Amino acid sequence: MKLLKSIPLLGWILIAIVLGILTGPVMPAWLGGVFLTYNSIFSGFLGFIVPLIILGLVAPAIAELGKGAGKWLGITALIAYGSTLFAGFLAYFVSRWLFTATMSGGGLEALGEDGGSGFEPYLTVVAAAGDSATEIVLEPIIGVMSALVLAFVIGIGITAFHSKVIFRGTVEFRTIIESVIRRIIVPALPLFIYGIFMDLSASGAAVTVVTKFLLVALVSFALTFVVLLVQFTVAGSMNGQNPLKALWNMRDAYFTALGTSSSAATIPVTLASTKKNGVSDAVAGFVVPLCATIHLSGSMVKITCFSIAVLLLTGGDVSFGAYLPFILMLGVMMIAAPGVPGGAIAAAAGLLAQMLGFGEVEVGLMFAAYIALDSFGTATNVTGDGAIAMIMNKLTRGRLGTQVQDPADEKLETAEGTLAEPHTLGS
């Protein structure tokens, strides 16, 4: 039992994929129906909880990026968002260039529908009532885009009116949502992914998906290094430093993140590495913990590359006009992503379904692919934080000091102290 508990989430995901591929062709129809029933229940719950995830994560994140921290926080957040968007655009155009010829018309247009596996769930959970006697309706209490807009309204409202009660409520609600992700969604993922690959294997599509995704994984990994090179080229040029040397100085943070898969857990090492590039203690102490929560360029690369691949394989629309709104919204979701393995893709699941039309199987494939490369994305995130710290060090001339706090703004505090701890996140 102790050995089983020591297996990381990635290990369980890989076991689920392999077992699904091996057992799919020989799975009895009645047992296959049991696993698909589980998948339908999990998918229905995910569809219900995703708008609440968006509301619970985005609203307090916006409130914490409010006036209380002064103009430098806003500038840092803007640079982090721009860096994340750049990673998304780069991943989009490279994916279109490399994947279009090899993945278009991949024969998986029926993915998520009846793909010929012969398995049927005994019970299905749907968002709207149909005409089947085996359906259970679990309708989300609010739509994905409505939840996003409401989160902005609440977050901006808290910032404008300094509402302590509402802010405390959003922070506590975020704690509930993060617990749901950590204790329900993440532990349930391996069996969900097993069911998906079992179904794909039985229909003959599993080999195609795995083969294509190996190429996407290699491209995603390479693009994370390109993103880092661009980030440190900009930071190095602004500070008159050799970008390659500055990037090399961040090596300890990169390799530590590979092992921890958590931006927050890597903060002490990231701070030490950042200071090697001449960043002052004040700037490093401000930028690094902040960017651990809002700068997820590596995660952006992974989600963009794999979502483009899925769209191409299933005959979806990958035109720039159709995909641009997704990149812009995904950048916002990356700011609020919870710091648990798979947290970023869980936060993005609603956008994948709402804006790209992904179904149960497509979302499951995205979970599997994202978690498989989770540590490399985290390593890219924290290493890029060092580049942003260098840029901020130049802009502030290394003297951030008390400028972080705007004296004209009232701090959100209670009699016991600060209202909430800073929200440190992982990948």
Side-chain angles (χ1 to χ4, degrees):
M1 183 62 67
K2 186 176 293 185
L3 178 62
L4 293 179
K5 290 182 178 180
S6 66
I7 299 176
L9 178 61
L10 174 58
W12 286 115
I13 296 298
L14 294 177
I15 292 172
I17 293 173
V18 172
L19 288 179
I21 293 174
L22 294 177
T23 60
V26 297
M27 181 68 65
W30 67 269
L31 187 55
V34 172
F35 287 112
L36 289 195
T37 300
Y38 171 86
N39 277 22
S40 179
I41 294 173
F42 178 83
S43 180
F45 174 75
L46 190 63
F48 172 82
I49 201 67
V50 157
L52 300 181
I53 290 176
I54 293 174
L55 180 61
L57 297 180
V58 174
I62 293 174
E64 289 170 346
L65 294 179
K67 295 180 180 178
K71 66 176 182 179
W72 293 120
L73 189 148
I75 294 173
T76 306
L78 185 62
I79 294 173
Y81 182 67
S83 175
T84 303
L85 289 186
F86 166 76
F89 288 131
L90 176 66
Y92 170 81
F93 287 111
V94 171
S95 297
R96 286 291 308 274
W97 173 46
L98 292 179
F99 303 154
T100 299
T102 58
M103 297 187 185
S104 294
L108 299 180
E109 287 78 4
L111 202 67
E113 302 173 4
D114 182 8
S117 67
F119 303 138
E120 291 290 340
Y122 298 108
L123 185 69
T124 56
V125 179
V126 296
D131 55 4
S132 174
T134 61
E135 289 182 350
I136 294 179
V137 179
L138 183 60
E139 185 177 356
I141 60 176
I142 188 173
V144 170
M145 295 310 298
S146 297
L148 189 59
V149 173
L150 180 59
F152 270 91
V153 171
I154 294 175
I156 294 172
I158 292 173
T159 298
F161 297 103
H162 304 282
S163 175
K164 300 177 183 179
V165 175
I166 298 178
F167 180 59
R168 180 186 292 277
T170 61
V171 171
E172 292 179 349
F173 183 57
R174 177 175 64 192
T175 302
I176 295 173
I177 291 299
E178 289 181 342
S179 295
V180 169
I181 295 174
R182 183 180 295 107
R183 299 180 182 181
I184 298 178
I185 295 178
V186 170
L189 278 176
L191 189 57
F192 176 61
I193 291 171
Y194 167 80
I196 288 174
F197 277 89
M198 176 207 68
D199 194 37
L200 290 174
S201 180
S203 65
V207 174
T208 300
V209 171
V210 172
T211 303
K212 300 292 187 183
F213 271 29
L214 286 176
L215 171 63
V216 183
L218 291 174
V219 172
S220 301
F221 179 68
L223 283 179
T224 59
F225 283 101
V226 175
V227 168
L228 289 177
L229 286 173
V230 172
Q231 290 172 343
F232 278 89
T233 297
V234 174
S237 63
M238 291 181 63
N239 287 272
Q241 297 183 35
N242 185 328
L244 295 179
K245 182 179 180 181
L247 179 56
W248 178 248
N249 286 337
M250 297 295 299
R251 63 189 181 277
D252 290 344
Y254 185 90
F255 288 110
T256 301
L258 283 180
T260 64
S261 293
S262 170
S263 299
T266 314
I267 284 176
V269 182
T270 308
L271 280 169
S273 299
T274 299
K275 293 175 184 177
K276 292 180 182 179
N277 287 324
V279 178
S280 69
D281 290 349
V283 174
F286 170 68
V287 173
V288 169
L290 174 63
C291 284
T293 75
I294 66 174
H295 183 225
L296 281 78
S297 54
S299 301
M300 188 76 162
V301 167
K302 292 186 298 179
I303 294 176
T304 302
C305 285
F306 280 101
S307 62
I308 290 293
V310 170
L311 286 172
L312 289 171
L313 288 170
T314 58
D317 187 359
V318 294
S319 64
F320 184 69
Y323 200 85
L324 176 61
F326 175 74
I327 292 181
L328 298 177
M329 289 295 100
L330 184 60
V332 175
M333 291 310 305
M334 291 301 94
I335 292 177
V340 297
I345 190 63
L351 297 182
L352 291 169
Q354 180 79 19
M355 305 186 75
L356 299 185
F358 280 18
E360 172 186 317
V361 177
E362 290 94 329
V363 171
L365 291 175
M366 290 294 299
F367 269 103
Y370 182 91
I371 293 172
L373 295 176
D374 192 37
S375 60
F376 292 104
T378 304
T380 304
N381 296 338
V382 302
T383 305
D385 296 347
I388 294 181
M390 291 174 63
I391 294 173
M392 290 302 299
N393 193 67
K394 178 66 176 180
L395 295 178
T396 63
R397 299 179 181 178
R399 298 190 300 271
L400 204 60
T402 57
Q403 299 175 66
V404 176
Q405 175 68 35
D406 188 341
D409 290 323
E410 178 186 357
K411 293 183 66 176
L412 292 173
E413 295 181 344
T414 62
E416 292 77 22
T418 304
L419 188 60
E421 294 289 334
H423 182 46
T424 53
L425 308 174
S427 59

